[in-house]
Amino acid sequence: RENALLQHYSCKGDSSTCANDPLVASTAEEAVWLQARGYPTPDQVQNARSFSAEQLKAAAEKSGSAVDASLYAQGLLREQRHREALGVALDGARQGNLYGLYLASDIYLSSDALKNLPLSMAYLRLAYLAGDSKAGPTFAARFPNVAAPELASADKRAAELKSELISLGNWPRP
């Protein structure tokens, strides 16, 4: 089962781009970790694009899966329903869905109505603090020109958010 799961989370493209891709696993143990923490596979993300947010919601409600909840939040985000997407992402994060933190970061970065660069940085830093080592390179790629004071502010806000999301825990990525 773990080896089959690894095939779904394995690199399908250039290995240099996959090394820091948060949706890609290099071991079976990491694939299990990704699935348990709500990270969809690259194929699931691609396939979900052909479904409406309502269809994805129905699938998430039926399965109760953290991955399906993440796909639903992404569907809401695609439909520009940013506040709803944020609610789903953060509800998932409170239940241990670390990928919900990536989604919250995406929402605060891309939504005109909710745009908040410090919060976007803080949610991605929180993913790192909660154990996702690939959140660090993602942060560096997404925010390449962050000055030390901004980074300190993001870290401070991430620590505050971690205390608000108590059940998040700390689960180091294998």
Side-chain angles (χ1 to χ4, degrees):
R1 168 162 153 67
E2 287 182 6
N3 285 334
L5 189 59
L6 176 59
Q7 289 179 354
H8 294 290
Y9 281 103
S10 65
C11 180
K12 307 257 187 311
D14 178 11
S15 62
S16 65
T17 59
C18 291
N20 292 323
D21 186 336
L23 302 181
V24 171
S26 57
T27 66
E29 182 182 22
E30 187 179 11
V32 169
W33 185 94
L34 287 169
Q35 184 178 50
R37 299 216 170 33
Y39 292 71
T41 68
D43 287 342
Q44 286 173 314
V45 171
Q46 185 63 36
N47 293 339
R49 289 187 177 125
S50 62
F51 295 98
S52 71
E54 292 311 309
Q55 291 171 308
L56 295 168
K57 178 182 181 179
E61 287 174 348
K62 182 178 179 181
S63 72
S65 154
V67 170
D68 286 342
S70 294
L71 293 169
Y72 169 46
Q74 285 183 323
L76 290 167
L77 187 56
R78 267 194 323 276
E79 293 179 6
Q80 306 297 309
R81 295 163 60 185
H82 296 110
R83 290 186 196 285
E84 290 174 79
L86 184 61
V88 171
L90 294 180
D91 284 348
R94 285 184 193 92
Q95 297 171 29
N97 181 340
L98 295 188
Y99 192 66
L101 300 173
Y102 278 84
L103 294 172
S105 176
D106 290 346
I107 292 162
Y108 280 118
L109 187 62
S110 65
S111 166
D112 289 335
L114 299 174
K115 189 172 269 314
N116 187 321
L117 188 61
L119 265 180
S120 179
M121 292 189 308
Y123 276 109
L124 202 48
R125 292 295 286 175
L126 180 53
Y128 181 80
L129 293 173
D132 186 348
S133 58
K134 288 190 177 181
T138 300
F139 185 97
R142 190 175 287 178
F143 308 108
N145 300 317
V146 175
E150 292 171 307
L151 182 56
S153 177
D155 283 344
K156 180 180 179 196
R157 184 66 180 123
E160 292 167 356
L161 289 168
K162 188 171 184 184
S163 69
E164 292 171 19
L165 300 170
I166 293 254
S167 66
L168 195 57
N170 185 358
W171 302 293
R173 186 179 186 133

